[in-house]
Amino acid sequence: MSVPLVSVVLPVYNGELYLAAAIESILRQDHERLDVIAIDDGSTDRSLNILQRYQKADDRVRIVSRENRGLIATLNEGMTLAKGDLVARMDADDISYSTRLSRQVSLFTQRPELAISGTGIDRLIGNRVVRGTQNPIHLSADWHVLSMFYTVFMHSTVMYNRNVIPQGMLMYDASYVHAEDFDLFRRITREFPAAMIEESQVAYRIHDESVTNKHKRQMRRTHLKIAAENLLRESLIDDPDALHDIGVMVTPDTVRRVADCLVSMEEKIAARTEASSSSYEDGALCFFYFLYQLIADEKQPQLTHAFLTRTGKWHLIRRRERYGLRAGAYAPWCSRVWSEASTQLDALARYRQSVPVKAVPPLQGLA
């Protein structure tokens, strides 16, 4: 069997701080039959210059540079330009480990019926890597079910199999801005098999200027829109507007309604008898944590307290958070102090389990 070509779609917008490390991590893959479609989406920094340097050193790099059109249009352009039977996604601020593409190619070779695969991730914070851990719900996952509740793969770990996915399906929908990956993954897994390589093959960079951080509110609103569509299709939700409304504003009323939706959904899932019912339960649990974090980020402990009490899920959060919320429901200043202390403890824990990033030597001629 011939070695498959992997086309790597790399959208770039003002990525000069991390772009060199990202593109080098792809060019240093141990699967060498690849091409990189780097689309400069109207950057105003030195991103294009960096891409041009790498193109001169390695003819596997193809560059498209034009005015800014946004991420979804850029992704779709990259998908159209891709020549490989396999198409990998890469973000301009992440790092792919050298075995990433070969591991995914091997998986598709062994299981040619697969449409999509993702991998585990490590988190890259500053100059340190926090090692990822295996998610137990992935061991016997029904990917179609899980993808109704949350984005099952980190976007920059994904590889698509164009021998399985119809060309018309492998496009991102502009109706789902900042959650376009969630929408595409649910559509693919609804019709075709998927798989996960649990070992970390990508270091996902955490920083203030990431799309996730800059557009968190819009991302959450779109996420809730997609989840409502999925749950309504499965007759698992009584009040789909509750998901929309809590995305717009977290209030006592929207918290009450979404808590009631969650309880009702879990009762409907508990009544199911099919083999995939455990994946529905796992998906609902992940969706609870999504809603919990959305509400907690408002820093109004009375609302978080009300959500946990109405859903009966105090046991699912950490003990120190329970103490802080229970006190904060009656003395908000106490909750703020506790929240700050908890954040510092989390940061210390991450530091203790992290390892320094090994410097990647530059490619020949690009020092």
Side-chain angles (χ1 to χ4, degrees):
M1 180 182 293
S2 62
V3 178
L5 172 67
V6 177
S7 291
V8 181
V9 175
L10 175 66
V12 180
Y13 177 70
N14 289 348
E16 70 170 297
L17 286 179
Y18 311 116
L19 179 57
I23 197 169
E24 285 196 24
S25 76
I26 292 296
L27 297 178
R28 293 178 179 278
Q29 292 289 304
D30 57 14
H31 181 90
E32 296 182 351
R33 188 159 186 258
L34 61 87
D35 65 343
V36 180
I37 301 102
I39 302 182
D40 174 41
D41 186 32
S43 295
T44 57
D45 62 2
R46 297 180 57 257
S47 293
L48 180 58
N49 294 337
I50 294 169
L51 291 173
Q52 289 170 337
R53 292 204 329 259
Y54 282 97
Q55 185 182 49
K56 289 178 182 177
D58 195 319
D59 62 8
R60 294 177 297 174
V61 178
R62 290 189 282 154
I63 301 174
V64 174
S65 182
R66 48 152 176 75
E67 77 284 357
N68 180 263
R69 297 179 190 170
L71 178 60
I72 293 178
T74 302
L75 288 170
N76 287 335
E77 186 173 357
M79 290 295 181
T80 302
L81 294 172
K83 298 177 180 178
D85 288 333
L86 300 174
V87 181
R89 273 282 291 111
M90 182 63 189
D91 285 335
D93 51 358
D94 295 338
I95 293 175
S96 286
Y97 298 154
S98 62
T99 58
R100 177 209 164 176
L101 297 186
S102 64
R103 289 289 304 277
Q104 291 184 287
V105 168
S106 176
L107 178 62
F108 283 115
T109 301
Q110 295 168 22
R111 299 181 58 188
E113 78 281 4
L114 289 177
I116 181 174
S117 80
T119 81
I121 63 163
D122 295 331
R123 287 175 295 164
L124 181 54
I125 305 175
N127 65 345
R128 301 187 74 85
V129 171
V130 180
R131 297 300 187 194
T133 57
Q134 189 176 48
N135 190 333
I137 72 173
H138 292 165
L139 296 178
S140 57
D142 182 324
W143 293 107
H144 159 54
V145 173
L146 293 181
S147 68
M148 293 191 298
F149 295 93
Y150 68 98
T151 309
V152 289
F153 305 122
M154 187 63 70
H155 204 178
S156 60
T157 73
V158 163
M159 185 179 284
Y160 303 105
N161 185 355
R162 297 207 303 184
N163 292 322
V164 173
I165 305 172
Q167 182 61 36
M169 176 180 284
L170 196 51
M171 300 292 282
Y172 296 88
D173 190 333
S175 302
Y176 300 104
V177 63
H178 299 312
E180 66 284 338
D181 50 347
F182 184 12
D183 168 62
L184 181 57
F185 300 165
R186 67 158 171 174
R187 288 189 280 119
I188 292 174
T189 57
R190 190 184 302 154
E191 297 190 30
F192 304 105
M196 167 77 86
I197 297 171
E198 283 296 323
E199 293 83 3
S200 298
Q201 295 295 317
V202 170
Y204 173 74
R205 193 182 299 273
I206 308 294
H207 62 97
D208 291 340
E209 293 302 308
S210 69
V211 172
T212 301
N213 277 329
K214 290 177 68 175
H215 303 286
K216 183 179 291 185
R217 285 187 179 273
Q218 178 61 60
M219 187 178 296
R220 284 173 168 172
R221 289 175 186 172
T222 308
H223 185 110
L224 290 165
K225 174 185 176 182
I226 296 170
E229 292 173 356
N230 295 336
L231 296 173
L232 194 59
R233 184 182 298 110
E234 292 282 315
S235 300
L236 287 175
I237 191 168
D238 300 323
D239 181 12
D241 289 341
L243 299 187
H244 169 271
D245 293 346
I246 200 165
V248 173
M249 184 173 295
V250 179
T251 67
D253 178 64
T254 58
V255 168
R256 175 188 57 78
R257 288 167 57 204
V258 81
D260 289 346
C261 275
L262 193 62
V263 171
S264 174
M265 178 179 68
E266 290 175 333
E267 291 173 350
K268 295 176 189 297
I269 289 172
R272 291 177 177 248
T273 58
E274 62 262 40
S276 60
S277 59
S278 63
S279 288
Y280 279 97
E281 292 169 358
D282 291 335
L285 179 61
C286 292
F287 194 53
F288 157 75
Y289 282 118
F290 174 86
L291 292 170
Y292 167 71
Q293 192 61 60
L294 182 153
I295 296 168
D297 281 353
E298 295 298 311
K299 301 188 184 305
Q300 297 186 53
Q302 299 94 330
L303 297 180
T304 310
H305 186 284
F307 177 69
L308 291 170
T309 300
R310 200 165 185 93
T311 57
K313 295 191 181 300
W314 280 96
H315 62 289
L316 293 180
I317 67 172
R318 291 176 299 181
R319 183 178 300 175
R320 69 169 182 258
E321 290 177 346
R322 285 182 234 161
Y323 293 154
L325 282 169
R326 282 174 172 149
Y330 304 101
W333 65 269
C334 181
S335 181
R336 287 193 295 271
V337 171
W338 195 270
S339 176
E340 291 170 3
S342 183
T343 299
Q344 292 174 5
L345 286 170
D346 288 340
L348 179 59
R350 286 196 301 267
Y351 184 83
R352 285 176 173 171
Q353 64 176 305
S354 68
V355 296
V357 177
K358 292 183 179 179
V360 179
L363 292 177
Q364 187 67 33
L366 293 183

